[in-house]
Amino acid sequence: MTTAARRIRLILMLRQAGVTDPRVLSAIELVPREAFVPDVFRDQAYENTALPIGHGQTISKPVVVGLMTQALEVGDRMKVLEVGAGSGYQTAVLARLCRRVYSIERHRPLLIEAEARLQALKLRNVTMMYGDGAEGWPAVAPFDRIIACAAAREVPAALADQLAEGGVLVLPVGTARDSQRLVRVRRTSDGFRTEELVKAHFVPLVDGAAVESGTLTAGLGSG
Ligand code: SAH
């Protein structure tokens, strides 16, 4: 099967899974997922599965990216914060839908690879930072939208605080992998409104930035 045919099959799969927003579908269609997975998994890039990207992390399932992006209700004038860039795939999809994406990743080697991929795809409206995303990015807050791609025990207060009024935060909440839920928090003029969406299975949101001992980070300095 050709890459083009695999992509079309994936889009059909997303529609069946409830991703119906045409803007989201076309953003996903325009991002080459094979550029975000390790070479050995390239032939599986358009399957609806999460794949390992190193450091114990995974690139999210396409259906999950689709459903989360749709739940985020992203508009093209918006400023979006992403927590957990990972491979940069979700970042790339967001970059096609909004004005500017800020993305935080706690594994520096993943961040460096993700940045290189986005540059190669000429997605220039993305700014990335190494650090603990649970603290948000106060220097550029508030955000119209915030998405976290790792599961927190509860909604991190710093993220809710950095939402603009009318803003939306989407993230998986829960500890055990089988009890996680995707949650959407809306900031209104008088507080926050929280809804539970579908079940989720994410890697955990980990406290603090990682300090790798590999030669790559040693050479670049860590922390
Ligand atoms: N959307 C990404 C998902 C990556 S998995 C993709 O499709 O590739 C989640 C990512 O969140 C991992 O890379 C993990 O390192 C990162 N992460 C976990 N806790 C974090 C934290 N506190 N701050 C920043 N990134 C975090």
Side-chain angles (χ1 to χ4, degrees), residues 33 36 51 53-61 65 68 82-91 103-107 110 117 129-135 147-151 202-210:
R33 192 166 182 262
F36 292 85
L51 294 166
I53 54 172
H55 303 273
Q57 307 304 319
T58 53
I59 176 172
S60 307
K61 255 182 166 182
V65 172
M68 281 186 85
E82 179 190 34
V83 174
S87 66
Y89 178 68
Q90 169 80 73
T91 323
S103 185
I104 309 174
E105 170 54 53
R106 68 183 291 279
H107 283 291
L110 291 180
R117 292 180 180 122
M129 175 172 83
Y130 162 71
D132 183 359
E135 292 168 12
I147 183 170
C149 307
F202 280 82
V203 295
L205 188 79
V206 181
D207 286 340

Side-chain angles (χ1 to χ4, degrees), residues 109-130:
L110 291 180
L111 181 85
I112 291 169
E113 285 177 43
E115 269 183 324
R117 292 180 180 122
L118 296 169
Q119 251 167 34
L121 293 174
K122 301 190 165 55
L123 293 169
R124 303 189 209 280
N125 58 336
V126 178
T127 310
M128 291 190 157
M129 175 172 83
Y130 162 71

